[in-house]
Amino acid sequence: MERRASSKRASPAPPKVVAVLAGLLERAAKRGDADGSSSAAFRSPGGRKPEIGVRRYAERIYRYAGCSPACFVVAYAYLDRLALGDGEEAVAVDSYSVHRLLITSVMVAAKFMDDIHYNNAYFARVGGVEVPEMNGLELEFLFALRFRLNVTPDDFASYCATLEGEMTTTAKTPTPLSPPTPLMVSSEEEEGRHQRERQQKKDPTVVVAFAAARISVAEITQ
C-alpha cells in the first residue's frame, strides 16, 4: 500500500543505523574513487558529484521517506550483495554513484518490508532525481540483485550485528558478509510478504530467529 504525502512532518532524530550505514558507504565510495571503479548505471548524470554529503542525504531519506529503521538494515544487505557480485558482475560504489545506490536500496527495501510506503515519484523528490531516472534505477537495482529481495531472519540478525559492531569500534571496517542463501521468492512483492508472514506462524523457529533479530536491531534503531 502506498503512503500519501503529508504537509506536516515531525523531524525525529535519525536512528543510529542511518549514520552507521552512511559511514560505511562513505568509506566504500572513497575506496571506489581510489580504485577508479564505478558502475555506469548508477552514476549521476553529467558526471557531477552530488553536493550533499552521504550522511546528510541518508538523514534526509529517513526524515522524509517515512520508512522503518529496519529498511536501512535490509538496504545494507542489498548493497552488500551487489558489492560481492555473487557470480555476477559486482556493482562498484564511488562518489558519483553512492547517493543513487542509497536512495534506490532504501526505496526497494521499503517496498519489500513496509506495508505502507511512498511511491517512486515521492522517493524521486526526496532523493533529488527525476521520476523516469528513479524508475530506471529501480529496474537496474532489481536486475542486479536478480530480484533476490528476501533477507532471512538469521541474515538480518547478522547484518544488525555487523552494524552494531561498527558503532562500537573505529579501529577497522567490518568485512563484507557472504551473500545470504537465496530463498524462493514470488515476483510479486506483496505476495512475498504474505508468504513470509505465513511461514512465521507455521514455523516457531522462524519466530525465535526474528525475535533475536529484533534484539539486535534495537541497539541500532534508537
Side-chain angles (χ1 to χ4, degrees), residues 130-211:
E130 298 293 333
V131 177
E133 183 185 3
M134 188 79 261
N135 295 338
L137 289 170
E138 181 183 31
L139 284 176
E140 290 284 353
F141 195 87
L142 291 172
F143 275 103
L145 281 175
R146 293 186 294 169
F147 292 85
R148 295 182 304 110
L149 301 181
N150 193 44
V151 177
T152 67
D154 286 344
D155 290 317
F156 184 83
S158 295
Y159 281 108
C160 287
T162 301
L163 291 167
E164 184 181 355
E166 175 66 14
M167 289 192 310
T168 58
T169 178
T170 57
K172 60 180 180 179
T173 304
T175 55
L177 299 176
S178 299
T181 303
L183 298 180
M184 293 299 294
V185 181
S186 171
S187 58
E188 299 276 343
E189 294 179 0
E190 191 67 24
E191 179 62 21
R193 283 197 293 269
H194 291 321
Q195 289 177 356
R196 189 172 66 250
E197 291 171 358
R198 289 195 293 269
Q199 183 183 15
Q200 292 176 42
K201 293 179 180 178
K202 293 179 181 179
D203 188 352
T205 61
V206 174
V207 176
V208 172
F210 268 118

Side-chain angles (χ1 to χ4, degrees), residues 41-42 74-82 91 100-109 134-149:
F42 297 97
V74 174
Y76 175 42
Y78 292 164
L79 292 169
D80 190 43
R81 292 177 183 180
L82 294 184
V91 174
R100 280 163 171 73
L101 282 167
L102 178 55
I103 185 67
T104 308
S105 63
V106 174
M107 182 182 75
V108 171
M134 188 79 261
N135 295 338
L137 289 170
E138 181 183 31
L139 284 176
E140 290 284 353
F141 195 87
L142 291 172
F143 275 103
L145 281 175
R146 293 186 294 169
F147 292 85
R148 295 182 304 110
L149 301 181

Side-chain angles (χ1 to χ4, degrees), residues 58-96:
E59 291 175 349
R60 173 181 171 82
I61 294 171
Y62 175 77
R63 183 170 295 112
Y64 294 107
C67 53
S68 63
C71 289
F72 287 84
V73 180
V74 174
Y76 175 42
Y78 292 164
L79 292 169
D80 190 43
R81 292 177 183 180
L82 294 184
L84 293 175
D86 190 22
E88 303 291 332
E89 183 179 356
V91 174
V93 181
D94 66 358
S95 296
Y96 297 92

